[in-house]
Amino acid sequence: WWFGTKEDGILIAIPYGEKTSYVHIPLSFNLVSHFFEDRDHNIWVAGLQGLLKVSPSFYQTISSPELEKMHFIRNCLITPSGEIVVSGENGELLIFQLSSSSAGLPVIKATKQLKEKGDFIDFYTFDEKQRMWFTTREGRLYRLDNLVLKDFTSIVHFKNSQFRGLAYNKKTKQLFVCADSVLLTGDENGLDTLFSRDRKQFIPLP
């Protein structure tokens, strides 16, 4: 079912047995007059600002023995240099290189093993050198520089059951790590509690 809503663009209701899932397509206009599906399965939407074409998005399934070993893929991201990093429940990182041809599938460029066998990426950010910093579900902090993986958990001076977030300020070159109950800031040489400018108060809880 395709609906033109008053304020939320297009809403699609897709029945799956006894359940229904919804897809929302935002529009620059909210007055939809009519829908039409052509023989190539494109949906044409007549609206206040003209004609909109909604086309099917085709995809390819990538399979490999390395992906099957992961059992569950927990995170997938793309680096500024164009590699795809896949993190699964077996503690491995698969780094894919995109093919130069539009029809070619990505190929595995490298495999990296985290220290904990069942660990995986939770949060990530990139610094001014395009290196990826990331935290894991087991409370570890890593940096991936090209294909070199380094564990920086030791710059956090207390054990964390899990980190809650990660950010990097490229202007000040500061790394921010949200730990269990405190916000930390610093660089690769060490992290310390983030205090207010007068150094008298850290961020209050909760």
Side-chain angles (χ1 to χ4, degrees):
W1 291 84
W2 289 70
F3 299 92
T5 71
K6 184 177 180 181
E7 296 181 353
D8 294 321
I10 294 172
L11 181 67
I12 309 166
I14 307 171
Y16 290 103
E18 296 181 355
K19 296 183 178 180
T20 302
S21 66
Y22 297 92
V23 176
H24 172 236
I25 302 177
L27 298 176
S28 59
F29 56 88
N30 289 310
L31 177 59
V32 173
S33 301
H34 192 67
F35 295 96
F36 174 77
E37 182 178 7
D38 65 23
R39 59 189 173 188
D40 295 320
H41 305 294
N42 300 301
I43 302 289
W44 295 87
V45 184
L48 180 66
Q49 295 182 0
L51 197 60
L52 178 76
K53 180 183 177 184
V54 183
S55 300
S57 179
F58 297 101
Y59 62 89
Q60 291 176 291
T61 301
I62 301 172
S63 60
S64 70
E66 291 85 356
L67 285 171
E68 291 175 6
K69 277 170 53 183
M70 285 186 162
H71 305 298
F72 293 99
I73 294 174
R74 287 299 198 141
N75 214 326
C76 182
L77 57 110
I78 189 163
T79 68
S81 56
E83 290 93 6
I84 298 171
V85 180
V86 179
S87 177
E89 281 196 340
N90 64 344
E92 282 189 355
L93 304 182
L94 298 181
I95 303 172
F96 286 86
Q97 180 69 53
L98 293 175
S99 173
S100 56
S101 67
S102 58
L105 294 175
V107 294
I108 295 177
K109 186 176 180 180
T111 302
K112 299 294 176 180
Q113 180 66 52
L114 302 178
K115 286 194 174 178
E116 308 287 339
K117 290 258 176 121
D119 207 1
F120 52 86
I121 295 175
D122 256 340
F123 302 98
Y124 62 91
T125 188
F126 296 94
D127 64 19
E128 81 283 357
K129 296 180 181 178
Q130 307 303 342
R131 300 173 299 186
M132 183 174 76
W133 292 83
F134 64 90
T135 58
T136 67
R137 184 59 55 92
E138 294 294 330
R140 304 196 75 85
L141 174 66
Y142 290 91
R143 186 181 72 193
L144 183 64
D145 184 4
N146 289 321
L147 298 178
V148 178
L149 181 67
K150 187 173 180 181
D151 189 342
F152 278 88
T153 310
S154 62
I155 68 174
V156 181
H157 299 300
F158 49 90
K159 172 66 178 171
N160 284 267
S161 59
Q162 187 180 343
F163 291 110
R164 308 294 176 179
L166 192 65
Y168 191 88
N169 186 327
K170 294 181 180 180
K171 289 183 179 179
T172 62
K173 299 182 180 179
Q174 280 186 300
L175 179 68
F176 296 87
V177 179
C178 186
D180 283 333
S181 57
V182 67
L183 181 61
L184 305 172
T185 183
D187 56 27
E188 63 185 53
N189 298 311
L191 296 173
D192 201 357
T193 304
L194 176 68
F195 288 90
S196 59
R197 286 192 177 184
D198 56 12
R199 300 290 295 177
K200 292 181 180 179
Q201 184 180 7
F202 58 86
I203 294 175
L205 298 178

PDB file of all heavy atoms in Angstrom, residues 101-118:
ATOM      1  N   SER A 101      35.874  -2.311 -11.338  1.00  0.00           N
ATOM      2  CA  SER A 101      34.752  -2.375 -12.281  1.00  0.00           C
ATOM      3  C   SER A 101      33.437  -2.261 -11.524  1.00  0.00           C
ATOM      4  O   SER A 101      33.317  -2.696 -10.383  1.00  0.00           O
ATOM      5  CB  SER A 101      34.783  -3.687 -13.073  1.00  0.00           C
ATOM      6  OG  SER A 101      34.531  -4.782 -12.222  1.00  0.00           O
ATOM      7  N   SER A 102      32.444  -1.679 -12.161  1.00  0.00           N
ATOM      8  CA  SER A 102      31.158  -1.467 -11.500  1.00  0.00           C
ATOM      9  C   SER A 102      30.443  -2.782 -11.207  1.00  0.00           C
ATOM     10  O   SER A 102      29.660  -2.877 -10.277  1.00  0.00           O
ATOM     11  CB  SER A 102      30.263  -0.572 -12.376  1.00  0.00           C
ATOM     12  OG  SER A 102      30.080  -1.175 -13.652  1.00  0.00           O
ATOM     13  N   ALA A 103      30.720  -3.825 -11.992  1.00  0.00           N
ATOM     14  CA  ALA A 103      30.045  -5.105 -11.809  1.00  0.00           C
ATOM     15  C   ALA A 103      30.799  -6.036 -10.865  1.00  0.00           C
ATOM     16  O   ALA A 103      30.262  -7.041 -10.413  1.00  0.00           O
ATOM     17  CB  ALA A 103      29.850  -5.802 -13.157  1.00  0.00           C
ATOM     18  N   GLY A 104      32.054  -5.692 -10.548  1.00  0.00           N
ATOM     19  CA  GLY A 104      32.862  -6.584  -9.731  1.00  0.00           C
ATOM     20  C   GLY A 104      32.509  -6.511  -8.261  1.00  0.00           C
ATOM     21  O   GLY A 104      32.145  -5.455  -7.742  1.00  0.00           O
ATOM     22  N   LEU A 105      32.616  -7.659  -7.576  1.00  0.00           N
ATOM     23  CA  LEU A 105      32.336  -7.710  -6.148  1.00  0.00           C
ATOM     24  C   LEU A 105      33.586  -7.347  -5.358  1.00  0.00           C
ATOM     25  O   LEU A 105      34.708  -7.533  -5.824  1.00  0.00           O
ATOM     26  CB  LEU A 105      31.863  -9.120  -5.769  1.00  0.00           C
ATOM     27  CG  LEU A 105      30.522  -9.558  -6.350  1.00  0.00           C
ATOM     28  CD1 LEU A 105      30.250 -11.013  -6.001  1.00  0.00           C
ATOM     29  CD2 LEU A 105      29.400  -8.677  -5.844  1.00  0.00           C
ATOM     30  N   PRO A 106      33.427  -6.825  -4.131  1.00  0.00           N
ATOM     31  CA  PRO A 106      34.603  -6.538  -3.293  1.00  0.00           C
ATOM     32  C   PRO A 106      35.387  -7.813  -2.993  1.00  0.00           C
ATOM     33  O   PRO A 106      34.818  -8.900  -2.900  1.00  0.00           O
ATOM     34  CB  PRO A 106      33.986  -5.957  -2.020  1.00  0.00           C
ATOM     35  CG  PRO A 106      32.625  -5.508  -2.405  1.00  0.00           C
ATOM     36  CD  PRO A 106      32.175  -6.433  -3.483  1.00  0.00           C
ATOM     37  N   VAL A 107      36.697  -7.668  -2.848  1.00  0.00           N
ATOM     38  CA  VAL A 107      37.557  -8.808  -2.517  1.00  0.00           C
ATOM     39  C   VAL A 107      38.225  -8.529  -1.173  1.00  0.00           C
ATOM     40  O   VAL A 107      38.453  -7.382  -0.798  1.00  0.00           O
ATOM     41  CB  VAL A 107      38.625  -9.047  -3.602  1.00  0.00           C
ATOM     42  CG1 VAL A 107      37.975  -9.464  -4.902  1.00  0.00           C
ATOM     43  CG2 VAL A 107      39.476  -7.798  -3.821  1.00  0.00           C
ATOM     44  N   ILE A 108      38.541  -9.598  -0.440  1.00  0.00           N
ATOM     45  CA  ILE A 108      39.161  -9.447   0.876  1.00  0.00           C
ATOM     46  C   ILE A 108      40.619  -9.013   0.717  1.00  0.00           C
ATOM     47  O   ILE A 108      41.410  -9.659   0.041  1.00  0.00           O
ATOM     48  CB  ILE A 108      39.072 -10.758   1.671  1.00  0.00           C
ATOM     49  CG1 ILE A 108      37.605 -11.078   1.982  1.00  0.00           C
ATOM     50  CG2 ILE A 108      39.865 -10.645   2.978  1.00  0.00           C
ATOM     51  CD1 ILE A 108      37.401 -12.385   2.698  1.00  0.00           C
ATOM     52  N   LYS A 109      40.935  -7.870   1.345  1.00  0.00           N
ATOM     53  CA  LYS A 109      42.280  -7.309   1.291  1.00  0.00           C
ATOM     54  C   LYS A 109      43.118  -7.771   2.478  1.00  0.00           C
ATOM     55  O   LYS A 109      44.325  -7.977   2.365  1.00  0.00           O
ATOM     56  CB  LYS A 109      42.169  -5.788   1.282  1.00  0.00           C
ATOM     57  CG  LYS A 109      43.448  -5.017   1.080  1.00  0.00           C
ATOM     58  CD  LYS A 109      43.138  -3.529   1.000  1.00  0.00           C
ATOM     59  CE  LYS A 109      44.394  -2.707   0.808  1.00  0.00           C
ATOM     60  NZ  LYS A 109      44.087  -1.256   0.719  1.00  0.00           N
ATOM     61  N   ALA A 110      42.467  -7.918   3.647  1.00  0.00           N
ATOM     62  CA  ALA A 110      43.187  -8.335   4.855  1.00  0.00           C
ATOM     63  C   ALA A 110      42.193  -8.856   5.885  1.00  0.00           C
ATOM     64  O   ALA A 110      40.996  -8.539   5.837  1.00  0.00           O
ATOM     65  CB  ALA A 110      43.988  -7.179   5.441  1.00  0.00           C
ATOM     66  N   THR A 111      42.696  -9.655   6.813  1.00  0.00           N
ATOM     67  CA  THR A 111      41.939 -10.145   7.962  1.00  0.00           C
ATOM     68  C   THR A 111      42.709  -9.792   9.227  1.00  0.00           C
ATOM     69  O   THR A 111      43.916 -10.043   9.312  1.00  0.00           O
ATOM     70  CB  THR A 111      41.738 -11.671   7.886  1.00  0.00           C
ATOM     71  OG1 THR A 111      41.059 -11.995   6.674  1.00  0.00           O
ATOM     72  CG2 THR A 111      40.908 -12.171   9.057  1.00  0.00           C
ATOM     73  N   LYS A 112      42.004  -9.203  10.213  1.00  0.00           N
ATOM     74  CA  LYS A 112      42.632  -8.835  11.475  1.00  0.00           C
ATOM     75  C   LYS A 112      41.884  -9.495  12.620  1.00  0.00           C
ATOM     76  O   LYS A 112      40.660  -9.607  12.587  1.00  0.00           O
ATOM     77  CB  LYS A 112      42.626  -7.310  11.663  1.00  0.00           C
ATOM     78  CG  LYS A 112      43.390  -6.552  10.598  1.00  0.00           C
ATOM     79  CD  LYS A 112      44.883  -6.853  10.654  1.00  0.00           C
ATOM     80  CE  LYS A 112      45.635  -6.173   9.526  1.00  0.00           C
ATOM     81  NZ  LYS A 112      47.078  -6.468   9.569  1.00  0.00           N
ATOM     82  N   GLN A 113      42.632  -9.926  13.644  1.00  0.00           N
ATOM     83  CA  GLN A 113      42.032 -10.598  14.795  1.00  0.00           C
ATOM     84  C   GLN A 113      42.108  -9.700  16.021  1.00  0.00           C
ATOM     85  O   GLN A 113      43.181  -9.220  16.394  1.00  0.00           O
ATOM     86  CB  GLN A 113      42.759 -11.914  15.088  1.00  0.00           C
ATOM     87  CG  GLN A 113      42.212 -12.684  16.267  1.00  0.00           C
ATOM     88  CD  GLN A 113      40.797 -13.187  16.031  1.00  0.00           C
ATOM     89  OE1 GLN A 113      40.518 -13.829  15.025  1.00  0.00           O
ATOM     90  NE2 GLN A 113      39.896 -12.884  16.949  1.00  0.00           N
ATOM     91  N   LEU A 114      40.951  -9.448  16.649  1.00  0.00           N
ATOM     92  CA  LEU A 114      40.918  -8.714  17.907  1.00  0.00           C
ATOM     93  C   LEU A 114      41.379  -9.624  19.041  1.00  0.00           C
ATOM     94  O   LEU A 114      41.384 -10.852  18.899  1.00  0.00           O
ATOM     95  CB  LEU A 114      39.504  -8.194  18.175  1.00  0.00           C
ATOM     96  CG  LEU A 114      38.902  -7.284  17.091  1.00  0.00           C
ATOM     97  CD1 LEU A 114      37.483  -6.887  17.454  1.00  0.00           C
ATOM     98  CD2 LEU A 114      39.772  -6.051  16.858  1.00  0.00           C
ATOM     99  N   LYS A 115      41.752  -9.032  20.184  1.00  0.00           N
ATOM    100  CA  LYS A 115      42.300  -9.829  21.285  1.00  0.00           C
ATOM    101  C   LYS A 115      41.277 -10.784  21.873  1.00  0.00           C
ATOM    102  O   LYS A 115      41.608 -11.898  22.279  1.00  0.00           O
ATOM    103  CB  LYS A 115      42.862  -8.903  22.366  1.00  0.00           C
ATOM    104  CG  LYS A 115      44.169  -8.256  21.956  1.00  0.00           C
ATOM    105  CD  LYS A 115      44.892  -7.621  23.124  1.00  0.00           C
ATOM    106  CE  LYS A 115      46.263  -7.131  22.678  1.00  0.00           C
ATOM    107  NZ  LYS A 115      47.012  -6.463  23.761  1.00  0.00           N
ATOM    108  N   GLU A 116      40.015 -10.335  21.967  1.00  0.00           N
ATOM    109  CA  GLU A 116      38.959 -11.188  22.504  1.00  0.00           C
ATOM    110  C   GLU A 116      38.289 -11.922  21.343  1.00  0.00           C
ATOM    111  O   GLU A 116      37.866 -11.303  20.367  1.00  0.00           O
ATOM    112  CB  GLU A 116      37.929 -10.353  23.271  1.00  0.00           C
ATOM    113  CG  GLU A 116      38.516  -9.433  24.325  1.00  0.00           C
ATOM    114  CD  GLU A 116      39.009 -10.184  25.544  1.00  0.00           C
ATOM    115  OE1 GLU A 116      38.552 -11.321  25.753  1.00  0.00           O
ATOM    116  OE2 GLU A 116      39.841  -9.640  26.280  1.00  0.00           O
ATOM    117  N   LYS A 117      38.137 -13.232  21.466  1.00  0.00           N
ATOM    118  CA  LYS A 117      37.658 -14.048  20.339  1.00  0.00           C
ATOM    119  C   LYS A 117      36.231 -13.719  19.907  1.00  0.00           C
ATOM    120  O   LYS A 117      35.889 -13.859  18.747  1.00  0.00           O
ATOM    121  CB  LYS A 117      37.756 -15.529  20.724  1.00  0.00           C
ATOM    122  CG  LYS A 117      39.197 -16.003  20.806  1.00  0.00           C
ATOM    123  CD  LYS A 117      39.573 -16.796  19.582  1.00  0.00           C
ATOM    124  CE  LYS A 117      41.059 -17.153  19.663  1.00  0.00           C
ATOM    125  NZ  LYS A 117      41.284 -18.577  19.642  1.00  0.00           N
ATOM    126  N   GLY A 118      35.383 -13.288  20.860  1.00  0.00           N
ATOM    127  CA  GLY A 118      33.996 -12.990  20.502  1.00  0.00           C
ATOM    128  C   GLY A 118      33.700 -11.507  20.409  1.00  0.00           C
ATOM    129  O   GLY A 118      32.544 -11.097  20.462  1.00  0.00           O
TER     130      GLY A 118
END
